[in-house]
Amino acid sequence: MASATPRLLSSLFTPLRLTYPIHAIRTSHRSRTLSFLSFNLRRPNGRLRTVSSFASNGTNGMERMGQKDEERYDVIVVGGGHAGCEAALASARLGARTLLLTLNLDRIAWQPCNPAVGGPAKSQLVHEVDALGGEIGKMADRCYLQKRVLNLSKGPAVRALRAQTDKREYAMEMKKVVESNSNLFIREAMVTEVLIGKNDNIQGVRTFFGMDFFAPSVVLTTGTFMSGKIWVGRASMPAGRAGESASLGLTENLQSLGFETDRLKTGTPARVDCRSIDFSGLEPQYGDDEVSWFSFDPECHIEREQMCCYLTRTTSETHKLISDNLNETPTYGGWVDAKGPRYCPSIEDKIVRFRDKESHQIFLEPEGRTVPELYVQGFSTGLPERLQLALLRTLPGLENCVMLRPAYAVEYDFLPAYQCSRSLMTKKIEGLFFSGQINGTTGYEEAAAQGIISGINAARHSERKPLIVLERESSYIGTLIDDLVTKDLREPYRMLTSRSEHRLLLRADNADSRLTPLGREIGLIDDRRWELYQSKQLRIKEEKERLKNVRVSGGEFAAEVTTVSGQPVRDHTTLESILKKPHVQYKLLDKHGFGNENLSRCEKDCVEIDIKYAGFIMRQQSHLQQIVNQEHKRLPEDLDYYSMTTLSHESREKLSKVRPQTIGQASRIGGVSPADITALLIWVESNRRKANQRTQQELLRSGATDNHMAASSPTDSVVQATAI
Amino acid sequence: MASSLIRLLLPWRQPKPHHLFPFSLNPTKTSFLFHLRRCQASTSSPKRLILTQDERSKGSLSTEREAIVGSGTIAAIVTSLGGGPAAVGIVRISGPTAVAVAGQVFRPVKRWKEEGGCVAWRPKSHFVEYGYVLDNDGNVIDEVLAVPMLAPRSYTREDVVELQCHGNDVCLHRVLRACLEAGATLAEPGEFTLRAFLNGRLDLSQAENIARLISAKSAAAADSALAGIQGGFSSLVKSLKIQCIELLTELEARLDFEDELPPLCLPSLIDKISVMRHDLQDALDTANYDKLLQSGLQIAIIGRPNVGKSSLLNAWSKSERAIVTEIAGTTRDVVEANVSIHGIPAMLLDTAGIRETDDIVEKIGVKRSEAAALAADVIIMAISAVDGWSEGDAKLIEHIVTSQKSANQAMTAPMILVINKDDCKPKDLLVSFEEICSGLFKKVVRTCALTGAGISELEKAVLEVRGLEPISSAGRKWTVNQRQFEQLLRAQEAFFRLHTSIEEQLPMDFWTIDLREAALALSQISGDDISEEVLTSIFSKFCIGK
């Protein structure tokens, strides 16, 4: 009864929305400015009238018709971590009435592990989320304790920004942002059930205390909470994080709907009191003098005082203590068998697997400006608490340290992401989206990247708009999601630069020129950001033009170029070709007065990269073009792979499981051979033609009786023409 | 992984089913919103796939577009091979760059004479032209007729150029090879037909035949891949691939885990890269099948007079090709005989015994012997078991080695020592001279030309020194190796670019691009997933995790 209503009503409103797609998007900006006006009016029912009169969408209209005993939204986001926050913000900013349900309002955007954002590949994700109009980059820029650029000399594509962040400040700032969006409602709740309609569509969620919340789109971002269990040594308790209860019941509910779940494990090291540490003998690690930024929005570029990290090392006592007590750890004692990430091993893993390595680096990182806690990076362990302090005290500088929180491991349920399509909507339940660790990833950045995509798509789905899929070749976000849904991953997935085949094209510096136009079209980039973006692109373009035309001869400048590059400078050489020479940087142009003062440092970098590596970039682009031609051929969603006898049995099985959207995706599935791909192509093409023949014959038949009908036959080319 | 076959997939030449490519890189400015509106008009496709493009480099890409549209250009010999020599054989090139590829190898006689062959070939469709096919160095390989059939008026509906060559296998393979070197890839069995079908050229009933062909092919491919992997040549390719992955591991680990790893030792890395480059060149030289196909193996039999060279030739070729007498210096000129060594054609060259002589005719003969030895792929030095290793033999071999050096050949032919007249050897002599010459000769074989004993050992030795394994079933090996050769070429080009990157002191990330390309090329045969392999290798080699 209730289940049929939303569908019916929204279908009533569909034609209206289809006519005004742009209008629907733009309202998000208006409703945001409105938020200041209506802030004081925020009562669960009171504000509905205000919002719904601007957002022309169906469910709001329905509430006006007065079913006040239920709470209805356009989008419900379950979980307030890094995926949940991005999803909820994106959805709310697109004008969808969004409900964010979280277990604990004080832990919104909490950083339970490493107090840091960025690093190789992860920083690209952050830049990309920012370019689309997401929040994580701004947060990291606002709350940093220290910033460093890694891989500085190793090429523009692998250059990576990493920020240590103040975790309390981060959570508080994000909470402020989330609270100040008038389309976004926050509520503490434990979701135990998803409500499903007659057509395998999502209808809402049910909480532990019996509340039902309804929405046509639901995003699950459960993190480590779904049936979470934490371990310290042999002792364990159900918990999502230390001190926070796990979310129970949802796994069983999802299983009963036919989802496959599996278990993963991760861990976090101990925290120590910085006042108990002797830093005098430790190697300090300072931040960069010249601070770089994640966000492309200069409003966030506010420099702050930086804090210092320190480097210490494991000693032979550390190694001995661990070797003597190996059987006290969950993994080697054998009482936990969930898989942990290879790139984030516990200290006992490192010592067991690399026996001949005498010492391992350990970093000490501050967790905030106002707290004494230090994060002991690289030292996560499954040892019982009674051994942990002794273990910490084997490290130089920590001989007298005080431990504030013990290290622990956490086990949790995830849903292998082949069950999602690349829009992050599940294949089984229409309108249900998964994001973050529930899909088997680790990392705040990976979570945020999925969050923004699922938030956008959840909002679009609630408005019956086509969903957005970022192709693998377009971005690290696209690569991440393609890997997740295509490969059958059974260990926590971390983004790495080597996972991208075209990383030279997917750089931090061009994340905005790759994705901001899309963010604008979707409706997440406001006029101010768009203007900033356009003028930046114009400046870069004009500067490249200028460098192409300005010529120099001889002089000090030429002499220095020769010394730096080891190549002679011919007379009347353009600045462009000088910039192409090895080791010549834009700075050198600046130094000799050939630079352009109107450009920011970051814009100069863009110019330098575009010119210096033009050949490589061009080659990669033409390679990419080929892939687009070859692999982006779409596969029908309803293919019956089991009936294709020309495919191998293995690939029939794998293809049915993954249900790839394109030929390229199909070819990346393990066990699908090139011959299978060819067979698949032939099958698809034959079917297309058979279908064409059928429609043609039908048209001929009906055309015999009704000439008028035949004239408007919907063949491909005709649809195309009318559409244009 | 599947990229070897993926390149079969073509852009549709016929009017595109437009909803398949809503966001392919389209230079004409159609905005995203525009597309949205359109999809809403036709609610059939619920998802939009988005490939965003870097706005900053849009301009540069559009100028390149013409040249790069479409997928690979393929080439193959389409007339039957392996039978007796036919009058005409055809090499077909199909794909978007077919004309460019043909233009590189084909010189119309007219233009050759008038313009010196430096203008791009602009053929008129369905207009036959007469000319030559040239190899990379500009040598004429064959006289051919070129038949250009431009899209869509061709079998595959792509640009097709057919080169009608002389009908022997050697010519055809050389022409094909030239096309591959000019940028075409070797067509899979049935690929022309597949393309014709996918491009809407063939009807449905024909499609089923192709499907059958493809599934048969996959069995055969697995079979031949297996055969390839067992071969010595393939193991070389494999070891090169492993080296590539090791290098990639070193580089990539530093890129993803910069602050956790010790710095890279650049000089040793550069050393490794140049060693690999060298190995790859060696592999290419070893795999120089073109030469083998052109004339078969040239095997020169040299030695002092009267050690039984001619008898050896007769015994080997099972003929009385050479005149055999007791008189030293009977053979005055180079005598040829064709044999087949486990399926590989070989030409035996019996030469005049090399010695100081005043006889004018014999003198010329000796000169020719030396020339034959220099041009040969394998040199067989025959000595007599009766005499053992004599002063004359030592002098002779020294002479050959010095003339090889002065000819400055890139690769000197491997030498095999044949101890003939094994039946009448004095037992005590043998040990010592095997020691003397083991450095010079790659193999030592004992034969008896009279009884034919040792000939099969000699054949094996010949194949071994040339890096050729005996072929179990004729023909299969050739196709596999041609493919491997193609990948080697790709890898070599990648290494060349890598070398340039290092010389130009580009940042490390740029090295990985070509190294990855090389690794990909080398892994085509086994079809492994390079990224996963590199990651696994990183995690097993380095202790990572902060």
Side-chain angles (χ1 to χ4, degrees):
Chain A
M1 345 142 286
S3 62
T5 356
R7 181 169 278 269
L8 182 72
L9 280 168
S10 40
S11 66
L12 272 177
F13 279 85
T14 310
L16 195 110
R17 237 181 285 132
L18 291 182
T19 342
Y20 302 109
I22 309 171
H23 178 72
I25 286 173
R26 292 290 171 260
T27 49
S28 69
H29 303 301
R30 254 197 282 168
S31 53
R32 207 183 319 168
T33 47
L34 196 87
S35 73
F36 297 103
L37 302 173
S38 62
F39 189 73
N40 293 329
L41 300 172
R42 299 188 73 206
R43 281 168 291 123
N45 290 321
R47 88 263 134 168
L48 289 180
R49 231 160 289 129
T50 343
V51 178
S52 57
S53 57
F54 283 95
S56 59
N57 74 47
T59 35
N60 285 338
M62 185 189 56
E63 293 225 16
R64 253 184 297 170
M65 291 160 66
Q67 299 177 358
K68 296 223 168 116
D69 50 334
E70 291 169 348
E71 294 216 22
R72 297 201 163 268
Y73 297 88
D74 296 330
V75 173
I76 296 172
V77 177
V78 179
H82 302 273
C85 285
E86 289 293 349
L89 282 172
S91 156
R93 284 168 179 170
L94 291 178
R97 241 170 71 82
T98 306
L99 174 67
L100 176 64
L101 295 174
T102 175
L103 285 166
N104 184 346
L105 274 182
D106 299 324
R107 286 286 184 270
I108 281 183
W110 193 246
Q111 298 178 317
C113 193
N114 197 350
V117 170
K122 285 167 174 269
S123 67
Q124 270 90 329
L125 284 174
V126 176
H127 290 299
E128 287 178 358
V129 170
D130 184 77
L132 282 173
E135 206 58 38
I136 185 171
K138 292 182 183 176
M139 281 299 138
D141 282 343
R142 214 171 288 165
C143 309
Y144 74 93
L145 299 174
Q146 185 197 80
K147 276 191 177 179
R148 282 173 63 209
V149 173
L150 311 174
N151 284 342
L152 197 56
S153 61
K154 292 180 188 161
V158 291
R159 223 169 270 167
L161 178 58
R162 188 182 139 98
Q164 299 302 132
T165 52
D166 185 321
K167 73 162 57 167
R168 270 164 198 79
E169 192 186 7
Y170 191 101
M172 261 152 52
E173 287 294 317
M174 185 62 109
K175 195 175 173 216
K176 274 186 216 161
V177 173
V178 170
E179 282 169 344
S180 59
N181 188 305
S182 66
N183 280 334
L184 182 52
F185 306 92
I186 319 170
R187 181 95 152 238
E188 260 186 21
M190 188 206 283
V191 169
T192 52
E193 227 176 281
V194 290
L195 305 172
I196 306 299
K198 279 180 186 157
N199 302 317
D200 279 347
N201 58 314
I202 194 94
Q203 288 199 311
V205 296
R206 178 164 294 162
T207 69
F208 184 80
F209 296 123
M211 276 294 290
D212 286 354
F213 296 96
F214 292 99
S217 300
V218 170
V219 184
L220 291 188
T221 70
T222 54
T224 57
F225 281 78
M226 228 165 42
S227 309
K229 191 178 192 183
I230 63 172
W231 291 88
V232 177
R234 253 171 222 282
S236 74
M237 64 170 164
R241 295 191 284 244
E244 293 179 68
S245 68
S247 161
L248 302 170
L250 190 54
T251 308
E252 290 73 17
N253 177 237
L254 291 171
Q255 280 169 343
S256 73
L257 294 172
F259 284 104
E260 183 200 342
T261 65
D262 202 348
R263 217 142 162 82
L264 287 176
K265 185 195 83 173
T266 185
T268 190
R271 310 298 199 275
V272 293
D273 191 327
C274 71
R275 293 166 299 187
S276 64
I277 288 167
D278 175 15
F279 292 108
S280 58
L282 302 183
E283 185 188 321
Q285 270 200 319
Y286 301 103
D288 290 343
D289 291 333
E290 221 174 350
V291 178
S292 307
W293 307 97
F294 286 111
S295 176
F296 291 100
D297 186 349
E299 253 182 25
C300 306
H301 299 182
I302 299 161
E303 285 204 34
R304 348 169 77 203
E305 198 189 327
Q306 298 199 51
M307 291 178 77
C308 187
C309 296
Y310 292 88
L311 183 59
T312 183
R313 309 195 68 94
T314 59
T315 57
S316 52
E317 292 99 274
T318 323
H319 292 224
K320 185 171 183 309
L321 205 150
I322 286 173
S323 317
D324 291 349
N325 293 287
L326 261 187
N327 54 353
E328 301 255 18
T329 66
T331 317
Y332 295 95
W335 63 86
V336 170
D337 56 358
K339 286 176 203 84
R342 282 182 291 181
Y343 34 78
C344 207
S346 60
I347 188 69
E348 51 266 21
D349 271 349
K350 291 188 197 175
I351 286 169
V352 169
R353 289 189 43 224
F354 297 91
R355 271 181 198 287
D356 47 342
K357 213 175 163 194
E358 281 167 16
S359 177
H360 298 271
Q361 286 184 322
I362 303 294
F363 296 84
L364 300 174
E365 300 169 348
E367 293 224 307
R369 290 176 196 275
T370 53
V371 289
E373 280 173 71
L374 274 187
Y375 179 90
V376 188
Q377 160 106 263
F379 211 58
S380 72
T381 177
L383 281 174
E385 190 167 352
R386 66 187 157 79
L387 293 170
Q388 287 192 16
L389 184 61
L391 188 67
L392 284 166
R393 289 186 168 177
T394 60
L395 302 175
L398 278 73
E399 292 88 352
N400 299 306
C401 77
V402 172
M403 183 168 76
L404 294 171
R405 301 167 196 258
Y408 66 90
V410 58
E411 258 190 294
Y412 56 96
D413 285 335
F414 82 108
L415 285 93
Y418 70 84
Q419 299 170 99
C420 290
S421 65
R422 290 186 297 167
S423 59
L424 293 178
M425 187 158 91
T426 58
K427 293 169 185 167
K428 280 208 169 66
I429 308 292
E430 191 203 325
L432 179 62
F433 296 81
F434 291 159
S435 268
Q437 276 168 306
I438 192 173
N439 280 338
T441 59
T442 62
Y444 316 137
E445 303 83 356
E446 287 85 348
Q450 294 169 67
I452 193 168
I453 296 299
S454 62
I456 290 170
N457 280 334
R460 293 176 72 86
H461 178 260
S462 75
E463 287 190 85
R464 315 232 147 205
K465 281 184 186 166
L467 304 185
I468 303 272
V469 171
L470 282 179
E471 284 290 354
R472 181 183 186 83
E473 294 79 16
S474 72
S475 54
Y476 273 88
I477 301 178
T479 310
L480 166 75
I481 295 175
D482 187 75
D483 276 348
L484 285 182
V485 305
T486 311
K487 297 180 176 169
D488 202 2
L489 301 163
R490 299 289 158 157
E491 75 163 339
Y493 180 98
R494 168 175 163 181
M495 201 67 224
L496 298 164
T497 61
S498 47
R499 295 200 198 263
S500 165
E501 294 84 356
H502 297 96
R503 68 175 172 221
L504 186 60
L505 299 178
L506 309 183
R507 304 183 307 272
D509 71 89
N510 72 354
D512 60 343
S513 49
R514 284 184 284 126
L515 294 170
T516 298
L518 174 65
R520 174 70 175 174
E521 311 270 21
I522 292 172
L524 286 175
I525 298 289
D526 61 18
D527 292 343
R528 184 186 61 87
R529 274 286 291 271
W530 184 239
E531 228 148 79
L532 281 170
Y533 167 77
Q534 283 183 309
S535 60
K536 176 185 170 187
Q537 299 308 315
L538 187 69
R539 278 195 298 279
I540 292 172
K541 201 177 151 210
E542 284 173 351
E543 176 64 3
K544 286 200 279 189
E545 212 44 49
R546 184 184 76 88
L547 295 178
K548 207 176 271 180
N549 293 319
V550 175
R551 291 168 188 276
V552 289
S553 301
E556 253 176 60
F557 178 52
E560 185 160 358
V561 169
T562 311
T563 15
V564 169
S565 68
Q567 290 181 0
V569 179
R570 272 191 232 114
D571 279 356
H572 306 295
T573 307
T574 59
L575 289 177
E576 185 188 43
S577 45
I578 284 178
L579 203 49
K580 281 188 186 227
K581 290 184 187 295
H583 305 301
V584 177
Q585 293 179 315
Y586 195 96
K587 276 183 205 148
L588 197 67
L589 270 63
D590 277 338
K591 186 180 163 190
H592 291 271
F594 289 104
N596 184 342
E597 284 165 15
N598 298 328
L599 264 62
S600 69
R601 178 164 56 97
C602 161
E603 287 159 0
K604 287 172 185 172
D605 278 347
C606 293
V607 170
E608 185 184 314
I609 290 165
D610 282 357
I611 289 179
K612 220 176 180 54
Y613 309 115
F616 268 91
I617 290 173
M618 194 98 97
R619 196 152 60 83
Q620 291 271 298
Q621 261 168 346
S622 62
H623 194 221
L624 189 128
Q625 174 80 53
Q626 280 187 357
I627 286 177
V628 170
N629 291 340
Q630 294 162 16
E631 300 190 1
H632 287 195
K633 217 169 262 187
R634 287 197 67 179
L635 290 169
E637 308 230 326
D638 51 352
L639 282 182
D640 178 10
Y641 292 103
Y642 282 109
S643 71
M644 299 186 198
T645 47
T646 41
L647 297 181
S648 72
H649 283 283
E650 189 190 359
S651 64
R652 272 182 246 176
E653 211 164 276
K654 291 273 171 66
L655 286 164
S656 311
K657 191 173 168 189
V658 176
R659 304 218 139 267
Q661 288 176 312
T662 61
I663 284 286
Q665 206 193 340
S667 70
R668 285 189 289 274
I669 299 171
V672 177
S673 74
D676 291 327
I677 294 295
T678 318
L680 193 57
L681 264 185
I682 291 175
W683 208 93
V684 169
E685 169 65 3
S686 324
N687 263 27
R688 198 187 66 86
R689 284 206 221 160
K690 274 180 203 155
N692 265 8
Q693 273 177 5
R694 257 198 308 277
T695 44
Q696 264 170 18
Q697 276 165 3
E698 276 164 27
L699 285 168
L700 280 176
R701 237 175 282 138
S702 62
T705 55
D706 189 349
N707 245 339
H708 179 71
M709 286 279 287
S712 59
S713 62
T715 64
D716 280 341
S717 53
V718 173
V719 168
Q720 195 182 323
T722 50
I724 291 163
Chain B
M1 174 196 76
S3 44
S4 80
L5 246 269
I6 272 291
R7 64 165 195 266
L8 308 190
L9 322 184
L10 314 185
W12 305 65
R13 284 295 174 110
Q14 65 201 43
K16 280 181 187 176
H18 208 277
H19 57 274
L20 287 185
F21 297 95
F23 291 103
S24 59
L25 299 174
N26 195 343
T28 54
K29 176 71 184 164
T30 45
S31 81
F32 176 66
L33 278 181
F34 169 77
H35 281 292
L36 284 190
R37 229 171 290 149
R38 220 177 55 198
C39 347
Q40 279 155 5
S42 65
T43 43
S44 58
S45 52
K47 294 202 179 75
R48 299 296 88 209
L49 308 183
I50 293 171
L51 179 69
T52 52
Q53 204 194 331
D54 183 358
E55 284 218 324
R56 261 160 47 201
S57 51
K58 254 182 186 167
S60 55
L61 187 56
S62 62
T63 54
E64 277 291 283
R65 180 151 299 115
E66 282 308 305
I68 57 173
V69 151
S71 54
T73 293
I74 50 170
I77 300 165
V78 289
T79 41
S80 69
L81 275 175
V88 175
I90 296 174
V91 172
R92 182 187 286 153
I93 314 163
S94 174
T97 60
V99 172
V101 169
Q104 267 193 58
V105 299
F106 175 70
R107 294 281 177 283
V109 169
K110 230 167 121 193
R111 183 156 55 93
W112 177 265
K113 282 178 185 155
E114 288 167 8
E115 299 158 35
C118 51
V119 186
W121 188 44
R122 274 191 217 87
K124 192 175 155 198
S125 191
H126 297 78
F127 189 85
V128 179
E129 283 188 71
Y130 166 68
Y132 300 104
V133 168
L134 312 181
D135 68 12
N136 242 359
D137 308 324
N139 305 317
V140 173
I141 299 173
D142 198 9
E143 268 183 289
V144 300
L145 290 177
V147 188
M149 288 164 276
L150 304 185
R153 290 174 60 212
S154 71
Y155 180 59
T156 57
R157 289 214 168 154
E158 303 173 314
D159 284 349
V160 169
V161 179
E162 288 189 353
L163 300 172
Q164 303 187 352
C165 318
H166 285 107
N168 78 49
D169 292 5
V170 173
C171 276
L172 285 167
H173 275 116
R174 296 183 72 199
V175 171
L176 175 62
R177 176 75 169 281
C179 293
L180 298 183
E181 277 169 342
T185 46
L186 191 63
E188 305 280 337
E191 192 172 355
F192 289 110
T193 314
L194 175 68
R195 285 187 174 205
F197 170 69
L198 290 177
N199 290 336
R201 175 72 168 62
L202 302 178
D203 63 26
L204 267 177
S205 62
Q206 281 163 296
E208 283 172 22
N209 295 328
I210 305 167
R212 217 170 293 142
L213 178 67
I214 301 287
S215 48
K217 184 189 78 187
S218 65
D223 197 20
S224 69
L226 203 68
I229 283 159
Q230 288 159 352
F233 181 60
S234 296
S235 68
L236 180 68
V237 172
K238 246 181 152 181
S239 97
L240 279 171
K241 187 195 84 179
I242 290 166
Q243 288 180 55
C244 267
I245 286 181
E246 266 171 22
L247 289 176
L248 269 175
T249 302
E250 293 283 339
L251 291 171
E252 301 264 1
R254 260 76 183 185
L255 298 175
D256 270 321
F257 306 96
E258 189 212 24
D259 43 2
E260 300 169 48
L261 296 176
L264 196 63
C265 174
L266 273 190
S268 83
L269 190 80
I270 293 170
D271 277 354
K272 272 186 201 159
I273 288 173
S274 56
V275 166
M276 274 197 72
R277 199 171 162 226
H278 192 250
D279 286 354
L280 200 60
Q281 189 57 51
D282 276 356
L284 270 170
D285 288 342
T286 322
N288 208 335
Y289 287 100
D290 187 21
K291 206 171 169 210
L292 302 187
L293 286 166
Q294 174 198 351
S295 53
L297 275 174
Q298 300 238 9
I299 303 171
I301 308 172
I302 59 168
R304 287 184 300 109
N306 214 11
V307 292
K309 297 184 292 295
S310 300
S311 328
L312 190 62
L313 178 124
N314 285 348
W316 201 340
S317 62
K318 299 188 184 71
S319 68
E320 296 298 321
R321 191 73 185 73
I323 303 161
V324 177
T325 66
E326 291 297 319
I327 306 155
T330 305
T331 309
R332 294 282 179 102
D333 200 352
V334 176
V335 176
E336 300 170 2
N338 288 314
V339 294
S340 164
I341 305 175
H342 296 279
I344 297 170
M347 185 182 280
L348 303 180
L349 303 170
D350 179 23
T351 61
I354 297 172
R355 61 170 174 180
E356 297 286 328
T357 172
D358 294 329
D359 183 334
I360 186 88
V361 181
E362 200 182 345
K363 246 186 179 170
I364 295 169
V366 168
K367 276 241 162 68
R368 288 190 173 186
S369 302
E370 286 172 13
L374 283 181
D377 301 305
V378 178
I379 297 171
I380 291 179
M381 163 91 179
I383 62 170
S384 160
V386 183
D387 308 339
W389 184 254
S390 70
E391 192 90 337
D393 292 319
K395 250 188 189 165
L396 192 153
I397 206 70
E398 200 179 308
H399 184 69
I400 292 289
V401 169
T402 46
S403 52
Q404 263 183 346
K405 269 183 191 149
S406 63
N408 209 5
Q409 279 169 323
M411 209 181 91
T412 53
M415 289 191 274
I416 298 173
L417 182 67
V418 168
I419 304 161
N420 198 19
K421 305 185 182 172
D422 196 39
D423 49 336
C424 31
K425 63 190 164 191
K427 303 259 185 294
D428 50 326
L429 265 170
L430 292 170
V431 189
S432 57
F433 70 74
E434 271 184 26
E435 271 170 12
I436 293 168
C437 45
S438 60
L440 279 167
F441 300 102
K442 294 207 169 165
K443 283 272 162 190
V444 177
V445 179
R446 293 159 193 282
T447 57
C448 175
L450 285 178
T451 61
I455 294 288
S456 70
E457 282 80 7
L458 183 56
E459 289 189 340
K460 246 181 234 159
V462 166
L463 293 181
E464 217 165 291
V465 297
R466 290 298 314 192
L468 304 165
E469 304 294 314
I471 296 167
S472 49
S473 64
R476 179 205 283 172
K477 195 78 178 183
W478 289 110
T479 48
V480 172
N481 283 334
Q482 188 84 13
R483 236 160 256 292
Q484 290 174 335
F485 180 81
E486 187 188 317
Q487 299 310 334
L488 277 183
L489 264 185
R490 241 181 90 196
Q492 192 199 26
E493 281 161 18
F495 264 93
F496 178 75
R497 288 192 300 264
L498 175 60
H499 187 72
T500 327
S501 297
I502 294 172
E503 268 188 351
E504 287 177 4
Q505 299 169 358
L506 279 166
M508 220 161 75
D509 183 31
F510 291 91
W511 305 9
T512 62
I513 293 175
D514 287 310
L515 210 48
R516 193 169 274 264
E517 167 84 22
L520 267 176
L522 295 170
S523 71
Q524 288 269 301
I525 304 138
S526 47
D528 310 310
D529 183 347
I530 290 288
S531 330
E532 206 38 55
E533 243 176 273
V534 171
L535 278 183
T536 312
S537 166
I538 288 177
F539 292 128
S540 61
K541 191 162 180 187
F542 298 111
C543 179
I544 278 156
K546 295 179 73 174

